[in-house]
Amino acid sequence: MRRKFQQGARSGRDLRVRLILAGLALVAALAGAWGLINVRAIAIYNEGTHTLSANVRQAQNPQADPASIKALQDQAEHLFAQVERPGLLILPQTRQAAQANRAANAALTSRTERLFKKQKADKARDWQNGSGKGSSSGLTERQEAEVEDLLKRSQQQSEPSASPTPTGKASDNKGQGRNVKPW
């Protein structure tokens, strides 16, 4: 009888040890998942911060493309929202930094939208006043004059019987083909 009692006590101890080990494994798995979530959030935060920095640099350029700035701002906004998505699982420092950068991105977005609206209004006003004659092509008046001069010279040099081939040579078979200007 003593033997049965000892076996029962041993199996009870084994069960408790197994339950304790399973609990520790569960805690370790949860801690690992929490750590991975935070590492991923920090990596996304770093990428968002890099995008925001590039966007600030680009927004300071007076000749920056508004569409590319808007795309960078949208990308940064998406990244910071992605950092905050896990909610309370994220470390408070990471969450606060992401919220601060998200607010900075929103402020930059409103600033650049105001700036580009002002630039559009200025260009429209200049166009209406006649000072923006060459601004539609992006060339200065001198450059437009040079292009027109080249076009005139090209038309004078071309012969009606010579048609350009894909290689840019006139299609005469005498071996004396001239270069035909594509403009």
Side-chain angles (χ1 to χ4, degrees):
M1 179 127 149
R2 204 167 177 87
R3 201 171 195 190
K4 279 187 174 181
F5 180 71
Q6 287 176 347
Q7 284 179 349
R10 182 183 295 167
S11 66
R13 259 187 297 168
D14 288 344
L15 180 62
R16 279 184 282 188
V17 169
R18 288 180 185 167
L19 288 175
I20 290 171
L21 288 176
L24 289 175
L26 179 63
V27 168
L30 290 174
W34 177 77
L36 287 175
I37 289 171
N38 277 286
V39 166
R40 184 173 187 279
I42 290 170
I44 293 171
Y45 167 78
N46 289 338
E47 184 180 347
T49 302
H50 177 72
T51 302
L52 180 61
S53 297
N55 198 11
V56 168
R57 281 191 304 274
Q58 191 171 10
Q60 291 173 346
N61 182 1
Q63 298 169 345
D65 179 31
S68 65
I69 290 176
K70 178 68 175 147
L72 281 174
Q73 288 171 332
D74 291 344
Q75 181 182 6
E77 174 65 27
H78 174 73
L79 289 170
F80 292 129
Q82 198 173 1
V83 168
E84 295 175 7
R85 192 170 295 141
L88 295 175
L89 293 176
I90 301 299
L91 292 170
Q93 300 89 343
T94 305
R95 187 173 41 252
Q96 290 166 355
Q99 289 170 347
N101 280 355
R102 196 173 189 185
N105 189 53
L108 180 64
T109 299
S110 65
R111 179 186 166 271
T112 54
E113 284 176 356
R114 283 193 313 265
L115 179 68
F116 289 123
K117 284 180 184 177
K118 182 180 179 272
Q119 285 179 353
K120 280 184 178 181
D122 289 347
K123 284 182 181 179
R125 187 179 60 242
D126 288 347
W127 184 257
Q128 288 175 350
N129 292 339
S131 65
K133 179 183 173 193
S135 65
S136 65
S137 66
L139 300 175
T140 64
E141 290 180 18
R142 179 174 164 242
Q143 290 171 330
E144 284 183 359
E146 289 176 1
V147 169
E148 288 177 17
D149 184 43
L150 286 172
L151 286 172
K152 287 179 186 175
R153 280 191 275 155
S154 172
Q155 288 173 352
Q156 290 172 356
Q157 290 178 354
S158 65
E159 297 175 14
S161 63
S163 62
T165 61
T167 61
K169 300 280 184 186
S171 61
D172 57 352
N173 293 330
K174 298 176 185 175
Q176 298 179 10
R178 295 186 328 206
N179 283 336
V180 177
K181 307 287 186 209
W183 58 82

